[in-house]
Amino acid sequence: MSTENEGTAVPADHPAAPAAPSTPPTPPTPPTPQSTPSTSTPPSAPAPAPAPADAPTVAQTPVTEGTSGATPEPAPEPAPAPAHTPAHAPAPAAEGAGWPPPPPTVPAWGAPLPPAPPAPAAPRRRAGGLVAAVLVAALVAGGIGGGIGYWAAQRGDEGVSSTTVSSGEAPAAFKRDPGTVAAVAAKALPSVVTIQAKSGGPQGGSEGEGGTGTGFVYDQEGHIVTNNHVVASAADGGTLSVTFPDGKSYDAEVVGRAEGYDVAVLKLTNAPKGLKPLPLGDSDKVAVGDSTIAIGAPFGLSNTVTTGIISAKNRPVASGDGSGGSNSYMSALQTDASINPGNSGGPLLDASGAVIGINSAIQSTGSGFGQSQAGSIGLGFAIPVNQAKNVAQQLIKTGKPVYPVIGATVNMQEQGEGATIASQGSGGTPSVTPDGPAAKAGLKAGDVITGFGGHQIDSGPSLISEIWTHKPGDQVKITYERDGKTSTATVTLGERTGDS
């Protein structure tokens, strides 16, 4: 969201390649004395003397090339032929011989030695002596090795430098390149906080309980952006504390919260100097497949970093606020970065370290969208930062959210064919507000809205999610169906202040 190396044939000249089989050379034959003219070739080297019959043989088995401790002794090279004698001319015959004997065969360098004549069995006492000699040799070699090791250790203690590198020195010299996950996380972590929310009820009671969430530094004045459902339990008479990665904690208070957007803004009561706000990116330019980094406190494990990609965009999501209040709606960024309860309110970063979304909800098996104690299954949802930024600025300015509206009530239960305008609104009111944006665009009860601003609409929640990505006053093209006929209209969005 690697291939193994294939086996290759070992080259013939590679040390590990098996030696090519060869026929044992013909044992050297002593040359027969012969009369040679003054211009004849120099006499050949004398044949080696046969080994004593009672000596133990050590060359009966050919030595394999490259075997440790066994190096074949080079044989004498054959004498060069006279320059004036043709290579195919027969050699002078020796006196008393029918034909010239063949020249002695000399093994090539590295070839196996010819087998020696079998030696008679040695007496038992000699075998015992041989074993004893081997044992003595082993003991002597061990003593020499121990002495050399002791000498080397003594020399090392006297200042000889060691080739061993301490593992503790490696991290100090290792530098993470800009843009790597480690570099991005190291820069962003100091600006990500863990939020502890506790309601104002009696201690030990259900109302006195709280939860853990995440937030991030929005500006140097000490504003922290998070999800509304993270702080909802402490919004009325509760307490909030914010803890930075260095362990320092600060009290905080709610500046404003928007239930529909699931966005809230806190402010540290005694904000420290030197706060570093996280840079904000552009969620409209995010593409499916872009890398993502999520930071938060899943299940209370603060400063946890996970990675993934953007797996989808404009995903309509409706989630609860965790306290039984109104649902929130978002046209979310979908990511497979591991997100769990406690990640809520934390930043979703791009590869440059800019915030592109606020982690808000997960898909949980068996419970639908929203906050659940189930673990991540690779479907997490974040509020696009462009929307969150507008909401945060409005909350800091007025303490209340402002929502764009079309002035029509739609069915929130049906799904798959669009958003149907209900027959009537809540409490028996008209489903299309008189003189509202939808009424001015010519929409009526029963119309099915199938497109909004170029995005397909398949339900009421998806329509609201798309509406809330805009601002009041924006003009948006709507596609709708009436009596089987498809039509289009342009609506100018109205506004609603506060949560109702």
Side-chain angles (χ1 to χ4, degrees), residues 120-174:
R124 289 184 176 272
R125 60 183 182 83
R126 292 191 59 81
L130 177 60
V131 173
V134 171
L135 293 176
V136 170
L139 291 175
V140 171
I144 293 174
I148 293 175
Y150 176 78
W151 175 83
Q154 289 295 102
R155 295 285 293 174
D157 290 343
E158 294 174 2
V160 177
S161 61
S162 172
T163 58
T164 302
V165 178
S166 173
S167 62
E169 298 174 1
F174 184 76

Side-chain angles (χ1 to χ4, degrees), residues 187-189 191-192 216-218 276-280 347 349 353-355:
K187 187 175 181 180
L189 274 168
S191 300
V192 180
F216 61 92
V217 177
Y218 181 75
K276 296 182 179 179
L278 287 181
L280 304 182
L349 309 175
V355 180

